[in-house]
Amino acid sequence: MATEQTLIIVKPDGLIKSLTGNILSRLSETKLVIIGAKLVRVSEELAKEHYKHLKDKPFFDELLHYIMGDVHNTHRVLALVYQGEGAIGKVREIVGDTNPEKAHPVSIRGAYGRITTSGVFENVVHASSSPEDAEQEIKLWFSPFEVVGDIYPTRDVVLEKVKTKVWA
Ligand code: DAT
Ligand code: MG
């Protein structure tokens, strides 16, 4: 089996339900290694790019509000990169079906997900579903410095006059 990377996101419902520890414990069953982890305040731009494959779906706007944290009033998600043999499939197995009602009851989504009255799947976690998606998603959510190891090719650029913040 090939070494793969996969993006996991603990979504706002996972955070407010205090499921982070539980989810990380479940994922540790895979014996994969974590090579990136950070809290992210999801912008509309990031949300739209991450879910661009669903832009024509009737639930798209609600999906954006959900991942941005507007629905749960907690404007952060936990983004993680896991690496190891067959990482994508191993994580998807533990995460379960997209629809929490169809997901195996022992899976993370089966145990903790719900469908809202307006039909949005609040399914607690995101997990990449193919090597192509994983690469696109990891490059979207993480910079090369934020992952441990050289997982994809990089190039050097010289930035001039870049405004940033440092502690005062
Ligand atoms: P997954 O997250 O399992 O990769 P996806 O990429 O097709 O599934 O969809 C992304 C998210 O969009 C999914 O986690 C929940 C929401 N979603 C997908 N299909 C849906 C549907 N038919 N009704 C409501 N929400 C849906
Ligand atoms: Mg997907």
Side-chain angles (χ1 to χ4, degrees):
M1 232 186 290
T3 296
E4 294 173 341
Q5 293 79 31
T6 184
L7 178 78
I8 320 290
I9 298 166
V10 180
K11 297 181 182 179
D13 49 331
L15 289 180
I16 60 152
K17 289 176 175 174
S18 236
L19 293 170
T20 307
N22 199 302
I23 290 163
L24 296 186
S25 294
R26 292 297 315 277
L27 292 172
S28 72
E29 291 166 20
T30 60
K31 302 193 173 66
L32 299 168
V33 294
I34 299 173
I35 59 165
K38 63 175 178 177
L39 276 177
V40 181
R41 189 181 175 106
V42 180
S43 65
E44 189 177 341
E45 189 189 4
L46 174 59
K48 279 184 172 158
E49 185 62 26
H50 179 74
Y51 283 133
K52 64 178 181 219
H53 59 296
L54 299 169
K55 67 176 180 350
D56 297 325
K57 301 283 184 193
F59 54 82
F60 184 63
D61 283 349
E62 289 188 70
L63 188 59
L64 298 185
H65 285 302
Y66 164 38
I67 196 71
M68 289 168 69
D70 297 344
V71 176
H72 298 89
N73 203 23
T74 175
H75 297 99
R76 76 210 65 176
V77 298
L78 178 63
L80 301 140
V81 181
Y82 279 71
Q83 178 173 263
E85 268 188 29
I88 293 165
K90 285 178 182 168
V91 171
R92 287 289 294 199
E93 169 97 36
I94 289 176
V95 162
D97 194 283
T98 305
N99 180 338
E101 280 185 3
K102 289 197 181 141
H104 192 285
V106 165
S107 68
I108 295 169
R109 287 169 167 178
Y112 304 119
R114 69 172 195 134
I115 302 178
T116 65
T117 44
S118 53
V120 174
F121 297 169
E122 287 187 359
N123 56 13
V124 186
V125 283
H126 166 83
S128 306
S129 50
S130 69
E132 296 71 32
D133 282 0
E135 179 171 348
Q136 244 189 42
E137 293 172 359
I138 291 165
K139 287 178 173 174
L140 176 65
W141 287 77
F142 285 82
S143 73
F145 291 117
E146 292 172 326
V147 290
V148 177
D150 300 322
I151 55 173
Y152 307 123
T154 54
R155 62 192 168 89
D156 292 337
V157 291
V158 177
L159 300 176
E160 282 170 45
K161 290 195 177 169
V162 174
K163 190 175 171 187
T164 186
K165 279 197 193 338
V166 294
W167 302 120

